[in-house]
Amino acid sequence: MSACFAIVGRPNVGKSTLFNRLVGKKIALVDNQPGVTRDFRDADARIGDARIVLLDTAGLERQPEGELALEIRRMTERALVQADACIFLIDAKNGVFPLDREVADFLRIQAKPIILVANKLEGRAPASGLTEAFELGLGAPIGLSAEHGEGVGDLCRAILDVVESLGSSNVGSCAGHDKIPNCHEHEDLYPDDANKPVRIAVVGRPNAGKSSLINSIIGQERLITGPVSGITRDAISISGDWSGTKVKIFDTAGMRRRSKVTAKIEKLSVADGLRAVRFAEVVIVVVDAKIPFESQDLRLADLAAREGRATVVAVNKWDLVASNGPVLEPMRTVFESRLPQLRGAPLVPISAKTGDGIENLHESVLFIRETWSRRIATSLLNEWLKSMVEAHPPPALGGQRIRLRYITQIKTRPPSFVVMCSHPQKLPASYSRYLVNGLREQFDFAGTPIRIIMRSQSDRNPYT
């Protein structure tokens, strides 16, 4: 079991920068403005021979105003309760603030090992904060620069000392995670291992209910939610169990039209969400039942299709429209007419607030993932190709007849096929779409993006 360290401090002291430095990847969003981090993020880090879990938390404020600020503080306090030890950051350039003293008092109440770190000591230049840090009564501070990596070795040695003092018997589970990867890890995404969790990215417009849906799935208030749009900023990775299925879910920031995205932090959030889509297996597009399938909803679904991901549409806030008569079928008609490449994708009415429809969504995710992973025998494919050509032969362009010789599936996830033919460069795109639609209908690839490649083949035996 890994020791769990929470990185805490007031806003804008460099917690996320240090988090990225220790993990070895640029995972958490970093910006000069305070308050970028809201939900706490977790990730594995290897320090020497020890494997630890790091929690990047939001900055603790003195008197948080408003429901959102209070919820952010509660989430940070929850991370501290789950952690085995704390890394307490102060800004060495600006010195010790009254809020730093309040945070120190709060950490002492937790009765957990505390590593005091004075950050922003670029070039090891003298700073008043390094001397003032002794006043906190937490021992000698470790001076470092998280941005430039200076002094991080001293911190790593202190972390190893804490891990050794904790011992395996005193190490907690850190929110129930045995291993917490993140959406930026470049690993074998699709090994044939039934124990691997299903990787799910939840995307949608701002305030569609993405975080509320994930909280309902995992059965706890893990993510901050509220009526204000744009609460989520990072693509947070959460591992858990969904009705007996191991899952790893990525909560992403709400994505607006590109023309409306002007703030730097929102651009970073959207880029983080796009990376989450690329590392997922199944993408759940959350739409608002009151205003379904606006252009941005369709763009997000099209993005999932272009990335080759299995796609499920969750029609959220269904409890607000269910009494208005039949509305699901008109929604399906609009969706399939505007996104024919995802024809047959499950549309599941849900209410993230009440939990209605969550089990149906679970079944749809497993179904679409199985479809996305399906492999068809070559003999069946060639029988199907023969019937398709007989029903509608490819056109003869420029006096040259195009012969489709055989077809085989080259990969799954998404299903991809190669058709060996003569003059592939002359085969019109409309005929390729005809074949894709035929594959989807014949082999029940509903809602799954299909790739089909035309290749030239000489008259020799293609099976040699």
Side-chain angles (χ1 to χ4, degrees), residues 29 35-41 68 72 75 202-215 222-238 250-255 265-270 272-273:
L29 298 185
V36 171
T37 303
R38 288 177 173 172
D39 295 289
F40 72 84
R41 175 192 284 276
L68 176 58
I72 291 173
M75 198 63 66
V202 181
V203 302
R205 290 183 287 113
N207 212 29
K210 301 179 292 298
S211 298
S212 298
L213 171 60
I214 295 175
N215 285 342
R222 170 62 177 81
L223 299 168
I224 300 172
T225 61
V228 180
S229 63
I231 291 177
T232 302
R233 285 176 170 170
D234 293 80
I236 302 293
S237 167
I238 300 173
F250 302 102
D251 182 30
T252 64
M255 300 182 190
I265 190 63
E266 186 174 0
K267 292 180 180 179
L268 293 173
S269 298
V270 170
D272 212 27

Side-chain angles (χ1 to χ4, degrees), residues 360-413:
N360 293 336
L361 182 63
H362 173 249
E363 295 174 359
S364 296
V365 166
L366 295 184
F367 167 76
I368 200 70
R369 182 174 181 263
E370 186 277 330
T371 303
W372 184 65
S373 307
R374 185 175 301 157
R375 183 174 291 277
I376 309 300
T378 301
S379 58
L380 296 177
L381 286 171
N382 282 282
E383 290 177 6
W384 164 84
L385 181 63
K386 181 179 179 182
S387 64
M388 292 290 286
V389 172
E390 290 176 350
H392 183 54
L397 300 177
Q400 290 182 319
R401 184 180 176 186
I402 301 175
R403 297 178 181 272
L404 305 187
R405 303 187 185 280
Y406 77 103
I407 182 174
T408 187
Q409 185 172 0
I410 57 173
K411 67 184 289 289
T412 61
R413 305 184 175 190

Side-chain angles (χ1 to χ4, degrees), residues 443-459:
F443 300 107
D444 194 21
F445 283 118
T448 302
I450 295 175
R451 306 283 189 260
I452 192 164
I453 303 168
M454 300 295 175
R455 285 184 182 168
S456 176
Q457 175 66 48
S458 64
D459 290 331

Side-chain angles (χ1 to χ4, degrees), residues 301-314:
D302 180 60
L303 167 68
R306 285 187 282 110
E307 293 294 339
R309 302 296 173 251
T311 306
V312 177
V313 179

Side-chain angles (χ1 to χ4, degrees), residues 318-332:
W318 188 253
D319 50 314
L320 302 180
V321 301
S323 59
N324 297 340
V327 292
L328 187 61
E329 286 308 314
M331 287 184 189
R332 190 186 305 277

